[in-house]
Amino acid sequence: MTNQQTSNQNHYQENCMDQQSLHTPAAGRYRWTAVVAALVLSGCAVTPAPLTVGERQATLGADRLAMSAGQQALSGPVSLQEAMARALKYNLDYRVKMMEEALAQRQLDLSRLDMLPKLAAGAGFTARNHDLASSSQNVATGTQSLVPSVSTEKQQHTGDLSLSWNVLDFGVSYFSAQQQSDRVLILQQRQRKVAQQLMQQVREVWWQAAAAQRLQDRIDALLKETEAALADARQVEQQKLRSPLEALTYRRQLLDVVRQMGIVRNNLAQAKPRLAALMNLPAGQDFQVAAPAGMPVPALGLDLERMEEMALLNRPELAEARYMERIGTLETRKAMARLLPGLEFSVGQHYDSNKFLVNHAWSDAGLRVSWNLLNLFNAGAIKGTAQAQLDLAKAQRLALNMAVLTQVHVAYLDLQGRSRQFALEQELSDVEQRIFEQNRNASASGAQGRLPAILADANAVFSSLRLYQGYGDLQNAYGALGASLGIDALPDSAASHELPALTAAFAGAETQWQARVSSARAAGAGQ
């Protein structure tokens, strides 16, 4: 053996001894102890950190400003159309639904990217403290046949750029993207439903606020007069100008009027704060509603058969159910696509700085076929599960059809009943007002005491309250019938999303409703 070979072998043995010293039991235990200690310390470092009162208070001002940021101030009494426009533009719950739809649209954009080939770029650097040396051993004799040698540098730079495309993944991603697009449409239908419910709430609360505004002055005047009559009744009782039973009965009737009027006033006072919350106005802001002078009776001149057809075509819940059924169909196709073999194409460009390599840069291409054979045994179960989901979606849609038809009939009957009830309330209110005028005239002339006039005034106030409540219920029933038919309160297209344009669009919504009804009636006559 030459001196050079002897030197190389000695160097190889020293490296082996160094490696063996690193793998002694003591060194292994030290290394594992250090790893465990590091994990324990890192786990102990993570503890719950609740927000402090100062941190929560720091966000209160910013949250309050953000809640009402960018809102147009009130310029006068709020009409029903303006209230609807403000709710649609500024209501926070409706904003959440719009953001959910925007998020779903972004997710659809991401799902489209899954259909593209995978383009991966990589770069790396490696360093060693010793050479990656190796030798060979004769299999027959067990002696070393080659001196230790290296073919890799201690420091090495690598780079890769590869393009791969899996046909099976593309097919599955294509069906997933179609499903995501249907989910976007589902969120649009849910947004329609939230808008319809929001408009229903605005319509109901706005008429309650209108009733409260109209009756507030009259209730205050009645309470003031009743309080004065109570003061007189107390003096009469103290001076014993009447019998004790007659005086107590008189006071009880007056106190009952005060109690009932107080309850009515408290209930009516809640209408404006609720309307302000729907319009996202600052809490406590005072405003007036622009109540119309008359009370026209709304009506939809359409027979029940055409109403049923309109509901089945336009209801957002049914549109959502149809999209869910389509998603179920695509899920079945995805399940069948996963049963097919996968075909993957790949090309790449690579670089390695290792000086021992003859070629530092090279290209490669490949074609690979893979097939999970176990899916063949599970094909029946996979296809059956997907079909069961599709059947469930169809059954849910049919059940929802029946529920929608029931809602149409109930809303129609409710509108008819509210119309009859409002007509009765109109007549009763007229009678109560005339009785109140007769008693007021008699009390003013001294022909009778103050109590009959006060009781007649209270009955007239109650009658007016029932009249406004009845008209509000009638308007609510009218809106509920339109919602049960799937008619949106806002027209399909507005000039812009600015508040004046939305208000004008809501003002013309009634005309559009009647136009849709007329077209539906004409279509029914043509059939």
Side-chain angles (χ1 to χ4, degrees), residues 71 85 91 129 153 157 183 185 233 280 363 365 450 466 514:
Q71 293 190 189
N91 186 267
N129 62 338
E153 289 186 277
H157 297 273
R183 293 187 181 97
L185 298 175
N280 199 34
S363 303
R450 299 171 64 182
R466 289 192 298 269
Q514 297 298 335

Side-chain angles (χ1 to χ4, degrees), residues 198-508:
L198 183 61
M199 296 304 100
Q200 280 295 101
Q201 295 174 6
V202 171
R203 183 188 295 270
E204 179 182 3
V205 178
W206 188 90
W207 280 108
Q208 292 177 358
Q213 182 173 294
R214 285 189 173 181
L215 295 178
Q216 185 64 45
D217 294 340
R218 188 169 179 180
I219 291 176
D220 292 341
L222 176 59
L223 285 173
K224 185 177 180 180
E225 184 178 359
T226 306
E227 292 290 349
L230 270 174
D232 296 340
R234 293 188 184 99
Q235 292 181 0
V236 169
E237 185 179 1
Q238 290 176 357
Q239 298 174 4
K240 298 182 179 180
L241 300 178
R242 292 183 181 179
S243 64
L245 180 59
E246 183 180 358
L248 291 174
T249 302
Y250 185 79
R251 284 183 60 192
R252 183 187 66 182
Q253 291 176 319
L254 291 175
L255 288 172
D256 187 60
V257 171
V258 173
R259 179 183 62 83
Q260 294 182 17
M261 288 296 103
I263 294 174
V264 171
R265 184 170 60 178
N266 291 337
N267 292 335
L268 292 177
Q270 301 175 10
K272 282 189 177 180
R274 292 173 57 194
L275 180 60
L278 292 174
M279 296 188 297
N280 199 34
L281 292 178
Q285 179 177 349
D286 188 24
F287 62 94
Q288 300 293 317
V289 295
M295 294 184 180
V297 178
L300 283 175
L302 196 65
D303 58 88
L304 271 175
E305 184 178 357
R306 298 303 303 169
M307 287 184 182
E308 291 178 354
E309 184 177 351
M310 288 183 64
L312 295 177
L313 288 176
N314 299 326
R315 281 289 291 269
E317 299 94 326
L318 293 179
E320 178 181 349
R322 293 186 184 98
Y323 290 132
M324 289 298 297
E325 185 175 342
R326 198 158 70 179
I327 289 176
T329 303
L330 292 173
E331 188 65 29
T332 303
R333 295 177 182 176
K334 281 174 58 177
M336 297 303 297
R338 289 193 178 98
L339 300 178
L340 300 176
L343 181 62
E344 181 176 351
F345 301 93
S346 63
V347 293
Q349 184 70 29
H350 309 276
Y351 169 78
D352 195 326
S353 65
N354 186 9
K355 67 180 182 180
F356 296 102
L357 295 177
V358 176
N359 298 311
H360 294 279
W362 67 97
S363 303
D364 60 10
L367 175 63
R368 184 172 182 270
V369 178
S370 62
W371 195 3
N372 188 353
L373 298 179
L374 292 179
N375 284 341
L376 297 178
F377 301 99
N378 300 325
I382 295 174
K383 184 178 179 180
T385 301
Q387 185 63 38
Q389 292 179 350
L390 178 59
D391 294 340
L392 175 61
K394 290 182 178 180
Q396 290 175 338
R397 181 173 59 85
L398 294 178
L400 192 57
N401 283 341
M402 180 58 67
V404 165
L405 293 179
T406 303
Q407 290 175 5
V408 171
H409 281 259
V410 171
Y412 175 77
L413 295 176
D414 185 54
L415 179 61
Q416 301 300 317
R418 298 293 182 184
S419 299
R420 293 190 297 267
Q421 186 68 24
F422 176 69
L424 179 60
E425 294 294 347
Q426 279 184 311
E427 187 173 357
L428 284 174
S429 178
D430 180 65
V431 172
E432 291 290 353
Q433 298 300 327
R434 294 170 63 183
I435 292 176
F436 163 65
E437 292 175 0
Q438 295 293 329
N439 281 277
R440 183 181 58 184
N441 294 334
S443 177
S445 63
Q448 65 181 21
R450 299 171 64 182
L451 181 60
I454 292 176
L455 295 178
D457 193 4
N459 289 331
V461 170
F462 284 129
S463 178
S464 298
L465 175 62
R466 289 192 298 269
L467 177 64
Y468 288 119
Q469 288 177 340
Y471 189 72
D473 293 339
L474 177 61
Q475 285 284 345
N476 195 34
Y478 176 65
L481 180 58
S484 69
L485 300 179
I487 301 177
D488 297 321
L490 184 68
D492 295 334
S493 60
S496 69
H497 284 82
E498 297 299 324
L499 189 61
L502 288 176
T503 303
F506 275 111

Side-chain angles (χ1 to χ4, degrees), residues 160-175:
D160 299 277
L161 182 63
S162 59
L163 179 70
S164 61
W165 188 56
N166 191 297
V167 178
L168 178 59
D169 291 342
F170 168 79
V172 173
S173 299
Y174 174 75
F175 293 134

Side-chain angles (χ1 to χ4, degrees), residues 13-329:
Q13 292 175 352
E14 290 175 359
N15 289 339
C16 292
M17 292 177 63
D18 292 340
Q19 296 296 328
Q20 290 175 358
S21 64
L22 292 176
H23 290 83
T24 59
R29 286 195 299 269
Y30 176 80
R31 184 169 60 254
W32 283 110
T33 302
V35 172
V36 172
L39 292 176
V40 171
L41 291 176
S42 63
C44 295
V46 179
T47 57
L51 293 173
T52 63
V53 177
E55 290 174 339
R56 286 178 287 175
Q57 288 179 342
T59 61
L60 293 182
D63 290 345
R64 284 182 175 272
L65 291 176
M67 288 168 59
S68 57
Q71 293 190 189
Q72 184 176 339
L74 294 176
S75 58
V78 181
S79 64
L80 176 60
Q81 291 76 23
E82 183 180 354
M84 289 182 172
R86 284 184 172 273
L88 194 66
K89 186 173 180 63
Y90 301 131
N91 186 267
L92 297 181
D93 293 332
Y94 188 67
R95 286 185 186 179
V96 171
K97 290 298 179 183
M98 294 179 64
M99 290 181 179
E100 288 179 354
E101 181 187 352
L103 175 60
Q105 184 64 48
R106 293 182 180 273
Q107 290 174 344
L108 174 59
D109 296 337
L110 290 177
S111 64
R112 289 169 179 166
L113 297 178
D114 293 336
M115 293 186 290
L116 299 178
K118 302 298 185 293
L119 181 62
F125 171 76
T126 59
R128 300 174 56 87
N129 62 338
H130 295 295
D131 287 321
L132 183 60
S134 63
S135 65
S136 300
Q137 182 178 351
N138 191 303
V139 178
T141 63
T143 60
Q144 181 178 346
S145 59
L146 291 176
V147 296
S149 60
V150 294
S151 59
T152 304
E153 289 186 277
K154 289 184 179 180
Q155 295 182 353
Q156 202 173 352
H157 297 273
T158 59
D160 299 277
L161 182 63
S162 59
L163 179 70
S164 61
W165 188 56
N166 191 297
V167 178
L168 178 59
D169 291 342
F170 168 79
V172 173
S173 299
Y174 174 75
F175 293 134
S176 298
Q178 286 186 319
Q179 288 179 316
Q180 184 60 34
S181 65
D182 286 338
R183 293 187 181 97
V184 173
L185 298 175
I186 286 176
L187 287 178
Q188 292 177 357
Q189 297 302 321
R190 291 179 180 176
Q191 182 180 343
R192 282 185 58 210
K193 182 62 178 179
V194 171
Q196 291 175 0
Q197 293 175 345
L198 183 61
M199 296 304 100
Q200 280 295 101
Q201 295 174 6
V202 171
R203 183 188 295 270
E204 179 182 3
V205 178
W206 188 90
W207 280 108
Q208 292 177 358
Q213 182 173 294
R214 285 189 173 181
L215 295 178
Q216 185 64 45
D217 294 340
R218 188 169 179 180
I219 291 176
D220 292 341
L222 176 59
L223 285 173
K224 185 177 180 180
E225 184 178 359
T226 306
E227 292 290 349
L230 270 174
D232 296 340
R234 293 188 184 99
Q235 292 181 0
V236 169
E237 185 179 1
Q238 290 176 357
Q239 298 174 4
K240 298 182 179 180
L241 300 178
R242 292 183 181 179
S243 64
L245 180 59
E246 183 180 358
L248 291 174
T249 302
Y250 185 79
R251 284 183 60 192
R252 183 187 66 182
Q253 291 176 319
L254 291 175
L255 288 172
D256 187 60
V257 171
V258 173
R259 179 183 62 83
Q260 294 182 17
M261 288 296 103
I263 294 174
V264 171
R265 184 170 60 178
N266 291 337
N267 292 335
L268 292 177
Q270 301 175 10
K272 282 189 177 180
R274 292 173 57 194
L275 180 60
L278 292 174
M279 296 188 297
N280 199 34
L281 292 178
Q285 179 177 349
D286 188 24
F287 62 94
Q288 300 293 317
V289 295
M295 294 184 180
V297 178
L300 283 175
L302 196 65
D303 58 88
L304 271 175
E305 184 178 357
R306 298 303 303 169
M307 287 184 182
E308 291 178 354
E309 184 177 351
M310 288 183 64
L312 295 177
L313 288 176
N314 299 326
R315 281 289 291 269
E317 299 94 326
L318 293 179
E320 178 181 349
R322 293 186 184 98
Y323 290 132
M324 289 298 297
E325 185 175 342
R326 198 158 70 179
I327 289 176
T329 303

